[in-house]
Amino acid sequence: MAGPHLPITASAPGQGVTTHCPYCSLQCAMTLTPREHGAGPELEVAGAAFPTNRGGLCEKGLSSAELLAHPDRLTTPLVRDARNAPFRAASWDEALQRIADGLTVAQERYGRDAAGLFGGGGVTNEKAYQAGKFVRVALRSSSIDYNGRFCMSSAAAAATRAFGIDRGMPFPLADIARADTVLLVGSNPADVMPPAMRWFAAGRERGAQHLVVDPRYTATAAASDVHLQPVPGTDLALANGLLHLAVKHRLVDTAYIAERTTGWPALKRALRQYWPDRVERITGVPVRVMERAVRVLAESRATIILSGRGAEQHAKGSDTALAWINLALALGLPGRPYSGWATMTGQGNGQGGREHGQKADQLPGYRMLADPAARAHVAGVWGVDPDELPQPGVSAYEMLDRLGADGGVRALMVMASNVAVSAPRAAHVRERLRSLDFLAVSDIFLSETAALADVVLPTTQWAEEDGTMTNVEGRVLRRRRAVDAPDGVRSDLAVLADLAARLGRGELFDDDPRTVFDELRRASAGGKADYAGITWERIEAERGVFWPCPSGDHAGTPRLFRQGFPTPDGRARFHVVHHRDAAEVPDDEYPYRLTTGRSRAHYQSGTQTRRTKALLDAEPEPAVEVHPDLAARLGVADGGDLLLRTRRGSARMRVRLTSTIRPDTVFAPFHWAGEQTINDLTNPALDPASRMPEFKVCAVELTAVPTTTREDA
């Protein structure tokens, strides 16, 4: 099933190759250099000088090469001869033909939309583009979405409504060091993006003040000047309360509002409902802390507001993001030097992955699939009739929820995603995966999702392929091949091109990443995410190019909104948004709140980091964070076991006592599987605009249970 420890052959023997980390959206630059060791050749990883990370790497980046030759690595296709039969090795021809047949049979029986693809936010721009094109051209299906829907969709929806464009950070990361005040809302970069903290540290060295909004007293909060600790799910009310105070104390920028925005009068009237005492009752944040925070924000020369998943992964996440954007606009921040609103994109290509066609409603260049002009342009690049293109499909969770059911997908391909662990209400999603007529998964390891498949394809890893990524700043980067892939492993680009040929559309697809990128440039031309002027050569020469970049003589756009906003009248939009309770609130049966997130040592569903020795040594098992007062009521000690149960499922975890969490809330990481799959508990209630599930808060029952050793668990 998996290959042995694989020899690593550098493409340039003895020389280092500079590429970028396979993990988060910082896309830190690193140099991979072959070195001889006793057990054979290995890769030495070192941070490389680059504008984003300035040579820094976190423990995940430093250990990333370990996975290239991991003994669990898949190196041959796997198939089953029956649904419950064990896997056996197969040839590529057999595996690909089984996939083509599975997709075809599903469409013949149930219609075109019965075949679909679920993508990932870590794949290159070229793969994301090819995936969207494959589904819409080779399958002519509307059934595609990706795991970035679970990450960035609320912030993306809010930014598009307010500014007319979605680029996570509309300014370079280095601007953080030049801001006099930074407010982070639901973001903990000290743990999840450690190299980014040097920009925060540089700001503090020059006297900047930092404020953090988080239900936990995180490592980021510990380094801040002001910590606002709200009840989970009340960030919107807090933002409205701060803006109410800004109005009350005449701290808003009336000239900016008049010249550069619309919608202020209606919002100003709505803010009357958010008087300080009421907001304190909703959020738990004292009025005096809110008063201090709003004055620091408003009286600063340069202020940045950064939001993260803590504020956005809610059934009202897009409204919450809009509330913080409203505050930024009222203070006159977007477009001002070293100021603005931004969101900290999570996955490695979370930005580029959503720009070029993996989302159910989008075409390359951030064009909308329902727009006739967008359809005509992209169809012209693809060489098909616009009428062949499907209409928008359903969002990620909606697709997963309907797998194998009437009107749902019956044959699914999954690329670079482990939805059996990462989706909300994950146990239900696993049942839906089992109900499919056919499931194919492309991955580097036999993940929990791959273990349910009919066909598994071994795919290349980050250091084995060329392509481009778009980082948290909107900077397009080059991913460079540093080593040869093991024999028997293929790129997803090649897989999609081969499948397209088997489905009769092979002449429209290519498996060369540079050729695919050049086509992407043409398809994006004139769109909001315009890559037309970006070439691999420019990326190399300029250390990345910021989009939009519409032509070869355009310098790229490191900073947006200096002259105006890409809206019909050039103005940003205020939006009236109101606090509402979480989709599920504590009651007698489920009296506490559960919130979830990432830990420092692990990443996403843990498929990679749970196989990395240094990371597993640092955090060998998950722990649920519990306040000592709550632990005393529950009768559980530090290191004891706690059973967490919600209306959807249960999980058992070791307890870590900490006074950094609210006494009415527990926190658990989502990187683990089996009886520790925390997403078995999370709520799939969806944001009406972004279709983001409510990962960040649900009602939970907590029960102390007899402690087991790790070997017994």
Side-chain angles (χ1 to χ4, degrees):
M1 185 180 299
H5 227 60
L6 303 171
I8 300 176
T9 304
S11 55
Q15 299 179 17
V17 174
T18 299
T19 185
H20 293 271
C21 178
Y23 287 108
C24 82
S25 64
L26 285 181
Q27 286 297 286
C28 296
M30 56 170 56
T31 300
L32 305 178
T33 306
R35 290 284 184 265
E36 286 294 333
H37 292 269
E42 296 181 1
L43 280 181
E44 181 178 284
V45 179
F50 196 74
T52 306
N53 63 307
R54 298 195 298 181
L57 291 176
C58 72
E59 51 265 65
K60 289 187 284 292
L62 287 168
S63 61
S64 56
E66 180 181 329
L67 298 174
L68 295 168
H70 196 281
D72 289 351
R73 180 79 187 271
L74 296 174
T75 58
T76 188
L78 304 174
V79 302
R80 299 183 195 271
D81 292 320
R83 174 50 61 92
N84 295 318
F87 283 119
R88 65 169 174 82
S91 69
W92 271 97
D93 181 67
E94 179 187 4
L96 290 170
Q97 193 57 49
R98 284 194 179 211
I99 296 173
D101 291 345
L103 297 170
T104 299
V105 169
Q107 290 190 313
E108 288 175 347
R109 289 180 178 173
Y110 304 108
R112 292 196 179 276
D113 291 345
L117 185 148
F118 196 97
V123 301
T124 62
N125 288 319
E126 293 78 9
K127 291 180 181 181
Y129 171 85
Q130 187 112 309
K133 179 182 175 183
F134 173 80
V135 172
R136 294 176 179 115
V137 173
L139 295 179
R140 294 181 63 183
S141 169
S142 68
S143 300
I144 180 171
D145 213 88
Y146 80 127
N147 62 16
R149 178 77 68 170
F150 300 154
C151 180
M152 295 304 306
S153 58
S154 287
T160 300
R161 291 178 66 193
F163 304 133
I165 195 170
D166 159 39
R167 199 178 87 186
M169 292 189 75
F171 45 78
L173 195 67
D175 280 10
I176 291 171
R178 303 291 298 274
D180 296 326
T181 301
V182 180
L183 170 67
L184 294 105
V185 185
S187 180
N188 182 24
D191 279 346
V192 303
M193 292 180 171
M197 291 307 290
R198 61 187 54 208
W199 300 111
F200 293 91
R204 286 196 300 273
E205 287 172 4
R206 42 176 298 277
Q209 295 190 74
H210 294 166
L211 304 86
V212 171
V213 176
D214 201 304
R216 302 162 66 214
Y217 187 68
T218 62
T220 305
S224 69
D225 300 280
V226 181
H227 177 217
L228 298 85
Q229 194 171 27
V231 172
T234 64
D235 300 298
L236 193 162
L238 179 60
N240 280 357
L242 293 175
L243 187 45
H244 173 102
L245 288 171
V247 173
K248 174 184 175 182
H249 297 306
R250 295 183 171 86
L251 297 173
V252 299
D253 190 332
T254 54
Y256 181 99
I257 291 170
E259 295 167 8
R260 303 200 60 185
T261 72
T262 63
W264 174 245
L267 176 59
K268 187 177 179 182
R269 288 192 298 272
L271 291 171
R272 295 170 185 164
Q273 302 177 38
Y274 294 88
W275 62 91
D277 289 343
R278 178 183 180 231
V279 173
E280 179 175 339
R281 288 195 299 273
I282 293 171
T283 67
V285 177
V287 173
R288 58 177 174 76
V289 178
M290 288 188 276
E291 289 274 8
R292 180 184 175 191
V294 77
R295 288 196 177 276
V296 171
L297 292 170
E299 295 173 357
S300 167
R301 177 189 59 87
T303 296
I304 289 174
I305 298 175
L306 296 172
S307 71
R309 305 302 81 72
E312 299 159 7
Q313 286 182 319
H314 295 269
K316 56 178 180 293
S318 57
D319 280 357
T320 299
L322 281 170
W324 293 102
I325 291 173
N326 284 341
L327 178 61
L329 289 171
L331 298 179
L333 306 181
R336 205 164 84 194
Y338 313 119
S339 299
W341 173 90
T343 184
M344 301 292 281
T345 303
Q347 294 191 75
N349 202 27
Q351 183 67 56
R354 69 182 183 267
E355 294 167 359
H356 299 300
Q358 282 194 108
K359 285 183 73 176
D361 58 350
Q362 288 181 195
L363 288 169
Y366 230 119
R367 288 182 162 90
M368 302 312 294
L369 184 55
D371 177 9
R375 296 167 66 87
H377 171 81
V378 174
V381 174
W382 287 349
V384 300
D385 190 309
D387 291 339
E388 289 186 31
L389 301 181
Q391 291 297 318
V394 299
S395 70
Y397 183 76
E398 291 168 301
M399 179 196 292
L400 297 173
D401 184 44
R402 302 174 191 176
L403 295 177
D406 290 345
V409 169
R410 300 299 186 114
L412 180 69
M413 291 182 63
V414 177
M415 273 176 34
S417 189
N418 188 14
V419 293
V421 175
S422 64
R425 197 184 173 200
H428 170 70
V429 170
R430 292 193 294 274
E431 286 302 312
R432 300 320 311 158
L433 290 167
R434 294 186 184 98
S435 75
L436 285 165
D437 293 0
F438 181 81
L439 174 62
V441 176
S442 173
D443 211 327
I444 58 178
F445 298 116
L446 193 68
S447 69
E448 288 76 14
T449 303
L452 302 175
D454 300 287
V455 176
V456 180
L457 302 179
T459 189
T460 51
Q461 289 199 55
W462 55 285
E464 301 161 352
E465 61 188 15
D466 284 304
T468 62
M469 305 283 281
T470 304
N471 80 345
V472 63
E473 312 162 292
R475 188 195 305 255
V476 185
L477 312 168
R478 274 277 286 115
R479 173 174 279 186
R480 299 173 184 87
R481 186 176 67 85
V483 299
D484 297 324
D487 291 340
V489 172
R490 296 186 186 180
S491 164
D492 289 328
L493 278 183
V495 166
L496 293 172
D498 189 303
L499 287 172
R502 293 170 190 262
L503 296 170
R505 307 306 296 266
E507 76 282 2
L508 302 175
F509 289 80
D510 203 290
D511 63 2
D512 174 66
R514 184 188 290 262
T515 301
V516 174
F517 184 74
D518 286 341
E519 184 180 295
L520 179 158
R521 292 170 55 212
R522 297 194 301 275
S524 73
K528 291 179 179 179
D530 192 333
Y531 283 36
I534 303 176
T535 64
W536 281 21
E537 290 76 16
R538 281 195 66 181
I539 295 172
E540 299 274 3
E542 301 172 27
R543 309 180 83 192
V545 180
F546 291 86
W547 69 261
C549 182
S551 64
D553 59 0
H554 190 282
T557 315
R559 294 174 179 85
L560 299 175
F561 315 143
R562 286 293 179 87
Q563 305 302 320
F565 298 91
T567 58
D569 59 5
R571 291 169 173 260
R573 272 78 171 132
F574 285 107
H575 289 84
V576 175
V577 289
H578 286 294
H579 167 75
R580 55 187 184 273
D581 285 338
E584 189 174 271
V585 296
D587 57 21
D588 290 343
E589 186 176 3
Y590 302 95
Y592 305 107
R593 292 180 177 87
L594 167 67
T595 189
T596 68
R598 283 172 55 187
S599 63
R600 185 180 178 99
H602 290 282
Y603 184 75
Q604 300 300 88
S605 70
T607 301
Q608 299 169 86
T609 55
R610 285 187 277 121
R611 288 178 167 88
T612 303
K613 184 179 184 303
L615 302 177
L616 200 58
D617 286 347
E619 189 179 342
E621 63 178 346
V624 55
E625 294 184 1
V626 182
H627 192 280
D629 292 349
L630 176 56
R633 291 199 298 273
L634 297 172
V636 65
D638 189 54
D641 281 9
L642 197 64
L643 182 67
L644 295 81
R645 187 176 69 90
T646 72
R647 290 175 173 84
R648 290 154 296 280
S650 63
R652 180 178 179 141
M653 287 188 176
R654 197 78 79 213
V655 169
R656 179 184 298 133
L657 294 187
T658 175
S659 59
T660 62
I661 186 110
R662 293 177 55 91
D664 56 3
T665 301
V666 295
F667 169 87
F670 52 63
H671 312 294
W672 303 83
E675 69 170 4
Q676 297 163 331
T677 306
I678 203 65
N679 277 324
D680 284 355
L681 283 65
T682 50
N683 193 345
L686 300 180
D687 183 297
S690 67
R691 317 309 288 168
M692 168 74 80
E694 187 145 276
F695 286 101
K696 281 295 182 277
V697 61
C698 64
V700 64
E701 177 195 51
L702 305 171
T703 306
V705 292
T707 301
T708 60
T709 65
R710 192 177 307 151
E711 290 74 17
D712 294 335

